[in-house]
Structure formats: C-alpha cells, structure tokens
Amino acid sequence: MFDKIFKAVIKGCVANPWLVIIINFSLLLVALSYTASNLKINTNTEEMLSEELTWRKYHNEYKTAFPSNIDNLILIVESPKSNNLSLNTRKLVNNLKNTGKFDFVTSIQESDFIRKNGLLYLDLEELNKLVPRLVNAQPFLGRLSEKNDFPGVLSLIEDLKRKSSDKNLEEKNLFIHQINRSIDNTLKGFLSPINWNSVVKKGGLNSSNYRIIIAKPKLDYTKLLPGEESVQAIDKIVNELSRETVEPLEVTVTGSTAIAYDELKSVSSGTKMSGFLALLLVLIVLFFAFKSISLILAICANLMAGLIFTATFATFTVGTLNMISIAFAVLYIGLAIDFAIHICMLYAENCARLKKIEAIKNAIFSLRKSLIFCTLTTSIGFFSFIPTAYRGVAELGLISGVGMILSLFLSFTLLPSLLTVLPKPKHSQGARNSHKPHRRVKIEKIIMVGLLAIAFSGLINIKKLHFDNNPINLNNESMPSIQGLKKLETLNFDYNSSISLLISDLKEAQRFADKLNKNDKIKEVKLITNYIPTNQNKKIDLIEELNLIFGGEIQINNRIRPVDIDEYNRSIIKFLATFEPESKAERSLKENLESLLYQINSSEKKQKKTGLFEMLNKNIFYYFHDFTESISELLSAEKVSMATLPKELKQLWVSEKNQFRIEIFPKEKMNGLGIASFQKLIGEEKYVFSGVPVINQEAGKSVVKAFTQAILTALVIIFAIAYALTKKFSSVLTLLTPLFIANLCVIFFLTTVSFPLNFANIIALPLLLGIGIDSSIHVFHRLKTSINGELFYRTSTAKAVIFSALTTSLSFGSLTFSSHKGTASLGILLMVGLALITIAVLSFIPYIMNMKQYEI
C-alpha cells in the first residue's frame, strides 16, 4: 500500500513539475516573510536549562530579591591620575543616567555619600597620618583658591620660601616639583595637569587608579541584540568624553550583558560566515561530484527551500533561537544535502541506461527505504535532545529533527520536479578502481587494524574525558567584555568567583558572617554592615578639628582672569630677581622660569604668548577646583548608620523584602563548587544561594546528565530502527560496529589533544550516532540488494557516501572558523567524528558482509 502511494506521489511530481515548483515557491515567499518578521534570538544562556533544577530555583529566587545584581554592565574606568579619574567617572555616570536607557547607574567610589564620608572609611592610623598633611597643605590651598593663576603661584612660592618650616617642608617640595613639571610640559606643548591629590599625599588622597561603574540596562528581548542600545549608548558617551578630556581615560565594558552582547555578535557573525563558507564548500564538492550545473542547481534549490521551511518551523514553534539552536542552519546544510546527493548520484548513474523520467523515478524509488530509515535515525539523533533538561539543545533537537523530515519530504517532491524541468546530465561511467582486488583488501585491513588500535586506546582513555563547565571559555578571548572580565580579576573585583547567600534577618546575617570569617577555607565575607565605618567617633573628632583649621568649606574664586602678558612677564622677572634656590627642585624651577621667559620674549605673536600662559594655567589649575570641592565635602562627614546608607548602595545588599545578601569568596578559585560542596563548605543547608561557581558546576552536571540520557535514548531507538530494517541481530551489529569503533576513536582524539567537552560541542556525541548510522544504512542496503563487495567501490552509492561525507564534514568544518570558541569546537568535533565514521563504515561493512557471506 505504501509503495503504491509513494509511486503515485513521485509520478505526480514528475508529471506536473511546474505546479509543484510554483506551489513551493509561493510557500517559500510566505515562509520567508513570516520568519524575517518574527524570529528572535535569546542571549540569556541560563534559561537554556530547565527551571525545575534546584540551582535554577535558587538563582531565580536570588534574581527576584536582587534584580540590581543581575544582567548588569560593569564599566572599569582607568587613568593614571586620580583627579582625572574622579572627575570623568562622575561625568560618565551623569551622562549615562541622562540617556534614559538604564534603570540605574552608580559608582559607589564616586557617589555623593562616599565623597562626603570617605575619610570615615580610612583606618584610624591612616587618617591620623593624613590630617597633618592636610593641615600643612591648608595655607597654599587657601591662597591658590583666592588667586588661581600663574602669578598667584609665584607669589605663593615666595611666601612658602619665607615661611618655610619642617612641618610643611614635604608638602612645599611636592608642590614645587609639580609646578616644575607643569612649566616643563608647557614648554614642550604638552597638556598634563597637576594631580592635586598627590600634592597632599604621596600616592594621592585617593590613589586608586580605577573606578567601577555599575549600570543596569533596560534590555529589550524583542530585539535581536537585547543589550545593543545600552552598549552603544556607553560607547557613544565614552567616545564623546574621550574627546573632551585633556588626558587619557580608558573605559572597559564587561558584565553579563556585555558578554552576552559580544557573544551573540560573535556567534551571529560566525554563523553567517560559517553558513556562507559551508555553501561555498558544498558547491565546490558538488561540482567535483557531478560536473553538472543542472544537478547542482536542483540540489541547492532543494537545500535552500528546506532551510527556509525549517527556519519558519523554528519561528512558529519555538519563536526564539538561543546561543545553541542558532547553529541549526549549518547543521541543516551539512546533513540535509545528503539525501539529494544520493538521489542525484543514482539518477546520474541511471541516465546511462534509462530515459530521463524513468531514471528519476527509479533513483527515488530504489533509495526510498534507506533514505526514510536514514531520516529516522538522524532525526532521532536530534529528537533525543528533547526530553533532556538542557532546553537550549532540546530546541535545537526539535528544530533540526523536523528539518530532516522536511528535507526528506522535499527530496521526494520538489527535487524530482526540479530534475524533471532541468536538462538531463551527461552520464559517466562508474569510477574504476585503480587498485587490484588483493591490494584493496590489504589497504582495507590496514585501515581497520589502525582504527581498532585507536578505538582500543580510546576505550582505555575514556575516564580522561573532561567537561569544561565554565561558559566564559566558550567565548572569543579577544572580545572586549572578556578582556574586561580578566581585568576585574586583577583588580580584586572578580564577581565570577563569589557566591551570594540570602538571610532574612540582619542579626542572623551578621552572626553567620562572623562564623564564616573564622572558616580557613573562606577568603572574604561581605555584607551591608561592612559599609558601617569603625571608630566613627574618633574619626569625626579628627575631621571636625580639621574643619576648624580650614575654616569650613574652602572658598574658591571661580572667576578666571584673562591672561595679561605684561603682568605675567613682570611676575616672572620679579620672582627671578629675588628668588635664591636652595634645593635641587628650586634650582630646576629657576631654570624652567628662565626658559619660559626666553620663549615668551622670543615669540613675536601676542596670540602665541597668550596661548602659552593659558596652557600653563591649565596645566596647574585644571583639576584644582574639583579637588578643593572634594576636600570641602570630606570635611562635612557625618556619622554613618544603616539608616543613612544611600539607596544606591542598599539595593545591592538589601532586598525590598528585607533579605540581606552575604557575598562569600572561597580562598581557592573554584569553577566546580556545586550545591552540596558549597553547603558543606559553609556548614549549612537551609539558605538560598547563587553564584557563578555554583551555576557553572550545577549546569555542567545537568548537561552531562542530559546528554548521557540523550545518547542512551538515541542508541536504543537507533538499535530498534536498525533491527526493523534488517530483521537480524547480526545485521544490526554489522551496522553499528563502525559507529562504536569510530566514536571510541573520537574519544581517543579528545583525550589525546586535551580537547574538553563543553556546553556547545557536547551535542556532537549523540548527533554523531544519528548521522553515522546513515552511511551504514546506505552501504548495507546497496550491498544487500544489488552488488558484491568487490564492485561496491565503483558504484554511485560509494561515491555518494564519500561526497556526502565531504559536504557534511566541510559544512561542519566551516564552524571552526567562527570566532566563538564553543561553536568552533563543535565544528571540529563533528568534522573529525564524521570523517572517522565514514572511513570506518567504508572499511568494516563491506569486509564484514563479505566475511559473513551474505547473499548479495
């Protein structure tokens, strides 16, 4: 009954080819329009695993409590000068807030709260050392605030010289040294303003050379790149700020949103390039396989139709591709073309003895059984992903599995219609085997012995298989966000190595934190109470005393006087006439002033003289106003309590439901700290917690479990299909033997070259079973039905198996050129695995069937 229906369908397609082609073309236009409008991509990798997993439940609870700590952008702002860093970090924060593309933007280090209370966070000993320096600096800070131009600087130096004492000697020398540098830089035409923090204190009042900005972007998951607008807004603002600032400012953007953005760009561009390269390589192989334009056109048209219909199915059923399922296009190109190659290869062979229509019908009808079984096995290789907890791969399995069925349907309908309307190819004689039979058998045996030896080594090494559970390692290391992540590690701001734990009571949280601090396996514990300074009463007494000395807020003369060249010249001449240098710094100052006066007098243009003095003022006073304002703010510190901590800080540590976050840093950096091992580390099981080390370990375990399940499922179903095809247990073993040998060889490859399995390439393992059985079925079917083993290598089936393997391998191999390391490793593993399977199938099956003396 099935054969009658099948023959009727094929007959209808070749009898009415244009009708079939027009219907398919019309459907393709609709499908393409629908797909282009509705297909989206989700970059959230954690959502690729089932929400029923314990660690997902924990993480979702943490996400709900602290949304501010999830999907953030982290900006690392760096500059060698702390004044430049401080000023521009605040500008950057304000500019980002004004874009409206962020829920919040903050730099705790440059917040109003820290700028006011920063001195309270110094150690009491450090504050005791700083206060005398500020006291000694007060006279010249006050003087320069009143007269902030170069003549005022010279007047101040004269006074410092007259009133010099041991108390302010260091500050005076630091100040003269900075003035020397400013003059020298001005003479060289180089703008490099004084870093006033370093005048007050060696190393700077706030000597850190970086600031951290945390930004919560408004993500739009309806767009291809959800974080694109926020990342582009940052890039635009940073570029504008870089043009405005007088000194270098480096901004590195990282964080989960930036990594996802860069990764998706990498995967998308890699997939586009891989898809184009796959098509190009397939075309080259098809040319050498057929040397017929008509056959190549038919195969490519059939392939593209199937790819569009599969993408439409993905859009309609799944709606959103993820970082794994986006690879379906390259997988489809590599696999779906096999059906068309086998049909066209036999069709070309038939053209030597049959008319065109008969040759088409005979090719399809002869291959129907093996193609249907191959579709089933390949689809099962994909469908075995569906029941797993790995949602990302389950979606890939559904899309690609249905894609194989669509490809088969098109190969039985659209392809024969296309072959009917296209010119009949010139037939060629079967490729002659240049080797004598005994020589071929000898080569076969050498290959088989070699594969068996490698397979045995793979079996021994199977325990050495390694799964890399760190998804960061899947990314291109040169991506800016990954470079930023590494930079955070060097700055001791590595959020990837900490675990956050939730406790609903502050006293309990403090008690538990104290307990963890005594754990010798834990490096550091942070919670909100860490932001309550110690010894506040003593520190405030010192600050109030300092405030009295400064007379309260430093009054700054904001009026900038225009440069009067004559006044500046007179000031320099007068200064040089009376100044008697005593130290090396003072002698350098005199020499620099003489050089400055000479350059001024040598210039005839007034504009040039004015520009030189303006640059000198800028080199001295550019950061002065902001610096004195920061001193004034620090002198107004008030006692800090939980109630006075700012909202922008609290939201990172206390949830709206009053849950307190404890951040725990283990001493040893661990990628493999699972739920059970972390509970053992902290000695408690009742708390909810989440963090990158736990997520990585638990996700890795979930994925390995999922694929163990997928491999076992695929094996059982493939075994059942093989038995349904052959009806003999011995024949099933014949079909599966090369697969097992080849897969053991793959294990040998993985363990020998230290090629770890990861979240991306692990999908190759069950997939190779489904793909690999196809070649076995084709070879077995041809040997079983029409020809003996000696002549098999001259048939179209042998050529089809080889060229199908080439197209598939090269298609998968195109993934290796992706800049995304996970995608590239998937391509390598599939290419190597398929090559080994093809060699094993072409060696073992003909040999086994000859040895068993099948009735062929």
Side-chain angles (χ1 to χ4, degrees), residues 263-304:
E263 183 177 20
L264 184 54
K265 282 179 63 180
S266 175
V267 170
S268 298
S269 62
T271 301
K272 288 176 186 175
M273 184 182 72
S274 298
F276 174 78
L277 189 57
L279 281 172
L280 179 63
L281 294 172
V282 163
L283 285 172
I284 293 170
V285 173
L286 290 177
F287 176 78
F288 284 104
F290 294 104
K291 295 183 175 62
S292 167
I293 299 297
S294 61
L295 290 181
I296 293 172
L297 281 175
I299 291 170
C300 290
N302 193 67
L303 183 68
M304 293 309 297

Side-chain angles (χ1 to χ4, degrees), residues 35-231:
T35 303
S37 303
N38 296 282
L39 186 61
K40 305 298 178 188
I41 297 178
N42 185 2
T43 59
N44 197 333
T45 52
E46 71 185 45
E47 292 182 5
M48 291 194 289
L49 286 156
S50 170
E51 289 191 1
E52 296 306 310
L53 297 167
T54 303
W55 68 269
R56 280 296 312 275
K57 291 178 181 178
Y58 279 9
H59 187 62
N60 285 338
E61 189 170 338
Y62 172 68
K63 247 193 335 186
T64 302
F66 291 97
S68 302
N69 293 339
I70 304 296
D71 296 333
N72 283 338
L73 288 164
I74 298 175
L75 285 69
I76 309 166
V77 189
E78 296 175 280
S79 174
K81 290 186 179 178
S82 55
N83 284 150
N84 181 48
L85 186 59
S86 177
L87 177 64
N88 285 294
T89 297
R90 280 177 278 125
K91 284 183 180 179
L92 191 53
V93 168
N94 290 331
N95 291 345
L96 289 173
K97 285 179 178 178
N98 292 336
T99 63
K101 298 186 184 301
F102 302 89
D103 289 327
F104 78 86
V105 182
T106 183
S107 173
I108 301 299
Q109 297 154 293
E110 289 298 330
S111 64
D112 292 340
F113 174 79
I114 293 296
R115 284 176 63 78
K116 177 180 179 180
N117 299 299
L119 294 179
L120 296 176
Y121 289 91
L122 297 177
D123 291 336
L124 187 58
E125 183 181 352
E126 191 176 0
L127 184 59
N128 276 316
K129 290 180 180 178
L130 177 62
V131 167
R133 292 183 178 277
L134 288 170
V135 170
N136 291 334
Q138 188 274 336
F140 63 83
L141 291 179
R143 282 283 299 276
L144 289 177
S145 297
E146 294 171 4
K147 193 174 182 184
N148 48 9
D149 56 16
F150 188 61
V153 169
L154 294 179
S155 174
L156 173 61
I157 293 174
E158 287 177 334
D159 284 351
L160 289 173
K161 180 78 171 167
R162 286 195 301 270
K163 302 173 183 178
S164 175
S165 69
D166 292 339
K167 287 184 179 180
N168 67 352
L169 184 61
E170 186 176 355
E171 286 73 21
K172 184 195 79 170
N173 288 335
L174 279 171
F175 175 63
I176 292 176
H177 173 71
Q178 292 291 352
I179 297 301
N180 263 329
R181 289 185 61 182
S182 296
I183 299 171
D184 188 54
N185 287 332
T186 302
L187 291 171
K188 293 175 181 176
F190 183 57
L191 190 60
S192 180
I194 291 174
N195 188 46
W196 284 92
N197 283 336
S198 61
V199 175
V200 173
K201 180 188 175 198
K202 285 183 178 178
L205 182 62
N206 191 345
S207 58
S208 169
N209 62 353
Y210 74 93
R211 299 286 187 274
I212 300 295
I213 298 175
I214 300 174
K216 178 74 174 177
K218 295 178 179 178
L219 300 178
D220 185 356
Y221 286 105
T222 65
K223 295 187 175 180
L224 181 64
L225 297 167
E228 182 174 28
E229 287 190 6
S230 55
V231 173

